[in-house]
Amino acid sequence: MSVRGPVSGARGFAELSRFRTAFYGCLSARADAFFELTDALLCADGPVRTPVELSLTAEHRRGYGSLYGALNHGRLDTDQLRDLLASLPLPRFGGRLVLTVDVSPWLRSDAACAPQRLFCHVHGRSKAAPQIIPGWPYSFVAALTPDRTSWTQVLDVVRLGPADDAAAVTARQLRHVTERLITARQWQPGDRDMLIVMDAGYDVMRLAYLLRDLPVELVGRLRSDRNLRLPKPPRVHDPRGGRPPRHGKEFRLAAPQTWPEPAIVTVNDTPRYGKAEARAWDRLHPRLPQRSAWIDHSSELPVIEGTLIRLKVDHLPRDREAPPVWLWSSTTGATPDDVDFIWSSYLRRFDLEHVFRLFKQSLGWARPRMRDPQAADRWTWLIVIAQPQLRLAAPLTTDVRKPWEKTTRPGTVLTPTQVRRGFRHLRAHLPCPARVPKPSRPGPGRPPGSKNRHPATHQEVGKTAKRPSTLYERDRARP
């Protein structure tokens, strides 16, 4: 099994060289410092503890002052970077693109002077011990792979601000990613719609309505206490008159007595979860109230129909108990093959967690103690750009092991951390468009004995814009 299939050495070096040259073209102010900082990320020995230590590597020829100068005052074109990521070869599920979206926080609980922080929900030592910690939440969109692997390709990242509506930002982010993939000819007319999977933290039905004009199918997990509606019954003449119903009977996920007979039932044997049984009901939809996200909807509230799937497996890994999982797909009229494809693709969503672990534990994404959120955005983009270089270098790298470590079996796909160990040997044969640094000396800095006359102010944490939840609050807020 290979990450990208068989790639010759000359072709692999050419693709990686083109990517590095295009990446340098996306940088404007402090371009050389940005580029060498990214190379230092890829070639450093071991996990990154702090950015200033990267200035001690041989690949970073400048001083540590240029490193912080680039992060604080540099400029990079994020639109060009997004176009560059969308043009890379992407993994596919039988020719179909499968994307996922998720949020990972950069926790900054001790940064009282850092602006635009939000309360981020994180898990403690167990999922039963959630914590709320201030930080910067980032929304990532990535292309999934059909196999269990850590080579998920990140395509976009956006930081959520205090005044942002998370659902609106996610819809705009998914729209831009989809349009870029279409422009890059990753999707062409006649191909199957791109599948986007997400967890229960997203309002998948609202996102499906906002993205209904794009060639995408959305799949999201539902909470087990949700209530949906069956399709409306056929219209029958009533002599008493009255308005025909818009919704059918109630379908309560926690009450089996409200479930009709499923339209589709599939049973599969899986090596990881045992027997997997999927039941599907067609054209189920929520009954939308005109409040919260739909408070500003001027016309009649839509009926958003889709396919509801209940997945039940025998056990989780290590023989843990497996509660049923409820999935909702924005498509209707699904076949048994479509149902199996939907739930199996959703299970690949968890591979994105390996990418977050790579970013935080190996590349040191959340290590810097930056005050400016714009500097944090620049550092985040350098981390994101480093990952596809590892992916392109995977077919060209051999396993570099320490004497006391076990050797990798032939044919085993190297992990991103293993590829990073050997990237330094590849870099000597790759183009380095960064110019040689000019000799300089540090500035005088603040005169000794003087005081800081511009102290940083303490910043509040949390949302700054509150959305009306009822029609009464909306009407009162209007001038």
Side-chain angles (χ1 to χ4, degrees):
M1 182 179 64
S2 177
V3 176
R4 299 176 49 228
V7 178
S8 62
R11 179 185 173 188
F13 272 104
E15 291 183 2
L16 183 54
S17 300
R18 283 195 295 267
F19 182 86
R20 290 168 59 85
T21 305
F23 165 53
Y24 185 79
C26 301
L27 309 174
S28 52
R30 317 275 182 140
D32 299 329
F34 272 136
F35 192 87
E36 290 191 354
L37 177 57
T38 308
D39 276 358
L41 271 171
L42 294 169
C43 300
D45 294 330
V48 177
R49 302 300 180 186
T50 176
V52 70
E53 292 183 354
L54 297 176
S55 63
L56 302 178
T57 61
E59 291 75 16
H60 194 278
R61 299 173 293 180
R62 289 163 169 78
Y64 64 88
S66 66
L67 183 150
Y68 286 107
L71 294 177
N72 292 325
H73 308 290
R75 290 195 304 271
L76 44 83
D77 193 335
T78 56
D79 290 336
Q80 289 188 19
L81 291 176
R82 292 183 174 100
D83 293 338
L84 177 61
L85 294 174
S87 64
L88 291 174
L90 298 180
R92 298 172 184 271
F93 288 64
R96 186 177 185 183
L97 281 174
V98 179
L99 310 179
T100 185
V101 58
D102 202 358
V103 174
S104 183
W106 181 342
L107 302 181
R108 295 306 312 274
S109 58
D110 55 346
C113 299
Q116 302 183 18
R117 291 182 302 161
L118 294 175
F119 289 108
C120 303
H121 181 275
V122 296
H123 292 291
R125 293 187 178 272
S126 66
K127 290 189 175 182
Q131 300 177 3
I132 304 297
I133 301 177
W136 291 317
Y138 282 84
S139 175
F140 292 84
V141 176
L144 298 177
T145 57
D147 302 318
R148 292 180 56 236
T149 178
S150 54
W151 286 107
T152 300
Q153 177 60 58
V154 176
L155 299 176
D156 191 20
V157 58
V158 172
R159 177 171 52 85
L160 302 177
D164 292 335
D165 179 6
V169 172
T170 303
R172 183 165 59 251
Q173 183 184 19
L174 293 175
R175 177 177 293 277
H176 291 167
V177 170
T178 303
E179 292 174 349
R180 283 187 170 89
L181 293 176
I182 295 175
T183 303
R185 302 184 66 82
Q186 299 280 7
W187 182 92
Q188 300 182 19
D191 295 345
R192 296 192 62 183
D193 291 347
M194 289 176 272
L195 186 69
I196 304 177
V197 297
M198 59 195 67
D199 207 5
Y202 292 91
D203 189 351
V204 61
M205 299 168 187
R206 182 188 176 193
L207 292 175
Y209 177 78
L210 295 176
L211 304 176
R212 62 190 183 279
D213 59 325
L214 296 176
V216 295
E217 175 188 349
L218 273 69
V219 175
R221 185 168 66 91
L222 301 182
R223 291 169 54 97
S224 58
D225 57 354
R226 289 287 301 269
N227 298 334
L228 300 180
R229 291 282 182 166
L230 294 169
K232 64 179 181 180
R235 186 171 181 179
V236 179
H237 175 69
D238 189 349
R240 298 174 297 177
R243 183 178 180 180
R246 299 188 67 217
H247 311 281
K249 294 182 179 180
E250 190 176 41
F251 188 107
R252 289 181 289 172
L253 274 58
Q257 62 272 16
T258 63
W259 306 348
E261 287 296 323
I264 297 174
V265 177
T266 64
V267 179
N268 296 273
D269 291 327
T270 62
R272 188 173 176 83
Y273 305 102
K275 186 180 70 173
E277 181 186 45
R279 300 181 181 183
W281 293 266
D282 194 20
R283 296 181 58 193
L284 264 73
H285 59 275
R287 184 172 183 175
L288 302 176
Q290 193 164 3
R291 61 174 182 267
S292 186
W294 303 93
I295 192 70
D296 295 324
H297 197 81
S298 57
S299 59
E300 188 177 29
L301 292 176
V303 176
I304 308 173
E305 294 184 336
T307 302
L308 180 67
I309 301 174
R310 182 183 184 270
L311 176 64
K312 186 67 176 70
V313 298
D314 286 342
H315 57 82
L316 294 177
R318 297 187 293 274
D319 292 332
R320 292 175 297 168
E321 184 180 357
V325 176
W326 291 93
L327 304 176
W328 186 88
S329 171
S330 60
T331 186
T332 56
T335 63
D337 292 338
D338 295 335
V339 172
D340 290 338
F341 181 81
I342 288 172
W343 68 258
S344 60
S345 300
Y346 172 80
L347 296 181
R348 297 275 61 81
R349 187 201 69 82
F350 299 98
D351 294 341
L352 186 58
E353 301 296 334
H354 299 292
V355 178
F356 294 155
R357 188 178 297 111
L358 169 71
F359 286 177
K360 294 184 177 181
Q361 296 183 2
S362 297
L363 301 182
W365 171 44
R367 286 287 182 174
R369 297 189 174 185
M370 298 178 182
R371 180 185 302 172
D372 187 8
Q374 281 71 33
D377 295 345
R378 300 183 189 104
W379 173 255
T380 301
W381 270 108
L382 295 185
I383 299 292
V384 170
I385 287 297
Q387 191 228 4
Q389 295 192 52
L390 294 176
R391 186 166 174 264
L392 292 173
L396 311 173
T397 309
T398 57
D399 190 15
V400 179
R401 287 282 182 172
K402 296 179 181 179
W404 54 86
E405 294 179 341
K406 295 181 179 179
T407 58
T408 305
R409 291 178 300 178
T412 303
V413 178
L414 300 181
T415 65
T417 303
Q418 292 172 341
V419 175
R420 182 169 173 256
R421 287 182 178 182
F423 192 87
R424 173 171 286 176
H425 305 289
L426 293 177
R427 184 184 178 274
H429 307 282
L430 296 173
C432 182
R435 295 165 293 184
V436 178
K438 299 179 181 179
S440 62
R441 57 184 178 181
R446 187 188 304 164
S450 63
K451 295 182 179 180
N452 182 12
R453 300 185 182 276
H454 303 281
T457 58
H458 284 242
Q459 303 289 338
E460 297 293 335
V461 183
K463 289 287 187 178
T464 58
K466 182 181 179 182
R467 185 175 55 191
S469 57
T470 62
L471 294 175
Y472 177 73
E473 293 181 1
R474 183 198 66 180
D475 295 339
R476 285 194 60 184
R478 290 178 177 177

